[in-house]
Amino acid sequence: MSPKPGTEFPLWEVFIRGQHGLAHRHVGSLHAPDAEMALKNARDVYTRRNEGVSIWVVPSSAIAALDPSEAEQNFAPSESKIYRHPTFFDIPDDVGAM
Amino acid sequence: MYNPYAKRKLPMYAQMVESGQAGDTDRDRAFQDKIDRNVRIEPRDWMPEGYRKTLLRQIGQHAHSEIVGQLPEGNWITRAPSLQRKAILLAKVQDEAGHGLYLYCAAETLGKTRDEMTEELLAGKAKYSSIFNYPTLTWADVGMIGWLVDGAAIMNQVPLQRCSYGPYSRAMIRICKEESFHQRQGFDIVRALVEGTEDQKAMAQDALNRWWWPAIMMFGPPDADSVHSEQSMKWGIKLNSNDELRQKFVDQTVPQAEWLGLDIPDPDLKWNEERQSYDFGTPDWDEFFAVIKGNGICNRERLDARNKAWDDGRWFREGLMAHAEKNKQKIAAE
């Protein structure tokens, strides 16, 4: 029998903290009926070889993202502001470590 | 007359992918330029319809191969010769389910639902690798699948880590990390057999005799008969030709077979000093296309098993959804 349309489990995004002290990173997605099952499935699939010490799951529908076609206008303004980097400033050697 | 080679390009694990066509607009040219500059394409970026469709077919078939690929080995989980071998095989088969998941997720980013893909597989409309339509008759077959089939899969998948579509490339990176374990556990099974009794060694040889040619055919038909690969290569979703990868696989595997003391069942196999490579014989491509068309030994059995698993699990999936709904309402009422 073929699957009934519209009964698919919701999609979740999985984030894993690889080691203590590191931030959670996106590792992939999975389908699950609720957060509890999403966490269990994420543990079973994404931490089979000591990949993590903590897991977050987030409904994919809850993620907002910038439009990739507007990447240029979103990110270009920072390109010209090189004074935001410490290397912009010339510090004489005899000043010492700074 | 039926010409099995006509208009087909068959990358491994996705053996019936026909490539779409590129357009000739400014957007198409900008897209191609991005690929040429090695910039990854991401889900919400503009892409030509042919690129999207070709990728969907290729990733979908790859995903189905991982899922159906669990069946030949699953056949031996309850009969593994020791508790340790059983635990290892179980882990390996579980990995394959995960690989299927990564790939289905990658395909979903191209706008097809999981249910649609499942439906295509269960209805027999979707293809998967022909290799999984061969039976696993003895424990030695489980070793051969790991050593040869996963070995061949690695050959194909390592370059795909650099493919142009971000989600597919990231799925391949995860998969490749795990495949190496699969190949080594297979080699270890074969090694234990050839170091055992005469009967055990004979069992390994018999399994090699049956799996060698199907493994060689996993790379798809010869380059000379491939029509659609050029566009897929231009789009960066196929990175090596079938014959290139096949040669690489033979060159790597023959010395391993020699180390094991097993004979490759190919009378034409010979070291070519000039090419610094092995010459080898031609597989039975008629058999290959018969299996692809659904006439392999286990095609029917594999699909029946998938359908049964889906149908038998229905009450459980529905129960989980009902439970989730009930909890949601409870939380809303509080």
Side-chain angles (χ1 to χ4, degrees), chain B residues 11-161:
Chain B
M12 181 170 48
Y13 270 43
Q15 291 172 319
M16 291 291 280
V17 177
E18 287 186 18
S19 180
Q21 292 304 306
D24 196 29
T25 64
D26 283 348
R27 275 204 301 196
D28 284 289
R29 278 186 289 272
F31 177 81
Q32 186 61 50
D33 177 58
K34 235 169 128 178
I35 288 176
D36 295 342
R37 283 184 291 124
N38 237 335
V39 176
R40 293 281 184 279
I41 308 302
E42 295 295 340
R44 294 171 68 212
D45 294 344
W46 182 86
M47 60 185 82
E49 194 51 21
Y51 177 85
R52 195 183 69 85
K53 282 192 170 151
T54 308
L55 259 180
L56 254 182
R57 278 193 291 261
Q58 183 171 326
I59 302 173
Q61 290 176 26
H62 193 162
H64 296 322
S65 298
E66 300 284 357
I67 296 303
V68 177
Q70 295 179 102
L71 298 171
E73 292 175 294
N75 183 34
W76 280 90
I77 289 175
T78 57
R79 293 175 288 163
S82 72
L83 187 57
Q84 191 183 42
R85 292 283 185 200
K86 182 174 178 166
I88 293 170
L89 183 58
L90 196 55
K92 198 238 176 208
V93 172
Q94 284 171 341
D95 277 353
E96 306 295 4
H99 295 180
L101 171 81
Y102 308 153
L103 289 160
Y104 281 130
C105 287
E108 284 175 88
T109 65
L110 292 162
K112 200 170 195 174
T113 67
R114 178 81 60 89
D115 275 359
E116 284 173 307
M117 285 183 277
T118 306
E119 191 169 357
E120 283 176 6
L121 175 66
L122 297 182
K125 288 185 215 152
K127 301 288 181 205
Y128 54 86
S129 178
S130 57
I131 193 89
F132 301 119
N133 289 317
Y134 290 87
T136 39
L137 303 179
T138 69
W139 173 249
D141 292 32
V142 177
M144 288 301 157
I145 290 182
W147 175 38
L148 299 177
V149 176
D150 289 307
I154 291 171
M155 282 288 159
N156 185 55
Q157 291 170 347
V158 164
L160 282 176
Q161 293 179 105

Side-chain angles (χ1 to χ4, degrees), chain A residues 1-4 7-9 27 29-31 33-34 37 45-46 48-49 65-68, chain B residues 44-45 91 94-95 102 105 108 113-115 119 174 178 181 310-311 314 317-318 321 324:
Chain A
M1 227 195 294
S2 58
K4 255 192 279 175
T7 56
E8 196 171 82
F9 292 156
V27 293
S29 341
L30 52 78
H31 288 271
D34 55 24
M37 284 302 296
V45 179
Y46 289 103
R48 289 171 58 71
R49 293 176 174 83
L66 288 176
D67 185 342
Chain B
R44 294 171 68 212
D45 294 344
Q94 284 171 341
D95 277 353
Y102 308 153
C105 287
E108 284 175 88
T113 67
R114 178 81 60 89
D115 275 359
E119 191 169 357
R174 290 194 66 87
E178 300 178 350
F181 149 61
W310 181 258
D311 291 342
R314 177 181 296 272
R317 292 191 304 276
E318 287 176 354
M321 266 322 260

Side-chain angles (χ1 to χ4, degrees), chain B residues 237-273:
Chain B
I237 52 186
K238 181 174 171 64
L239 295 124
N240 301 86
S241 81
N242 296 352
D243 286 340
E244 249 171 69
L245 292 171
R246 188 173 4 254
Q247 180 72 59
K248 222 173 145 192
F249 174 73
V250 171
D251 289 346
Q252 180 184 289
T253 311
V254 171
Q256 294 168 356
E258 281 170 3
W259 189 93
L260 290 164
L262 293 172
D263 296 321
I264 304 269
D266 178 358
D268 297 325
L269 185 77
K270 198 170 80 221
W271 177 251
N272 184 324
E273 189 59 36

Side-chain angles (χ1 to χ4, degrees), chain B residues 166-301:
Chain B
Y168 191 27
S169 132
R170 291 190 286 274
M172 293 317 308
I173 289 170
R174 290 194 66 87
I175 289 173
C176 284
K177 271 189 197 156
E178 300 178 350
E179 286 290 355
S180 184
F181 149 61
H182 297 179
Q183 189 185 18
R184 285 176 177 220
Q185 67 86 35
F187 184 84
D188 194 63
I189 290 173
V190 180
R191 183 184 171 183
L193 289 171
V194 299
E195 289 173 353
T197 65
E198 276 308 304
D199 282 351
Q200 285 171 323
K201 191 172 176 187
M203 188 191 273
Q205 182 63 55
D206 167 67
L208 177 59
N209 293 348
R210 284 180 291 107
W211 287 93
W212 177 254
W213 289 109
I216 290 292
M217 290 191 275
M218 279 177 73
F219 295 93
D223 295 347
D225 302 311
S226 302
V227 176
H228 281 276
S229 70
E230 212 175 304
Q231 186 57 55
S232 283
M233 287 215 173
K234 235 177 134 186
W235 274 335
I237 52 186
K238 181 174 171 64
L239 295 124
N240 301 86
S241 81
N242 296 352
D243 286 340
E244 249 171 69
L245 292 171
R246 188 173 4 254
Q247 180 72 59
K248 222 173 145 192
F249 174 73
V250 171
D251 289 346
Q252 180 184 289
T253 311
V254 171
Q256 294 168 356
E258 281 170 3
W259 189 93
L260 290 164
L262 293 172
D263 296 321
I264 304 269
D266 178 358
D268 297 325
L269 185 77
K270 198 170 80 221
W271 177 251
N272 184 324
E273 189 59 36
E274 200 183 319
R275 288 199 307 123
Q276 288 293 303
S277 242
Y278 284 94
D279 293 336
F280 54 97
T282 307
D284 180 356
W285 291 114
D286 289 340
E287 174 185 312
F288 175 78
F289 287 106
V291 177
I292 288 250
K293 281 186 76 187
N295 300 320
I297 302 171
C298 298
N299 294 57
R300 173 71 69 82
E301 193 183 323

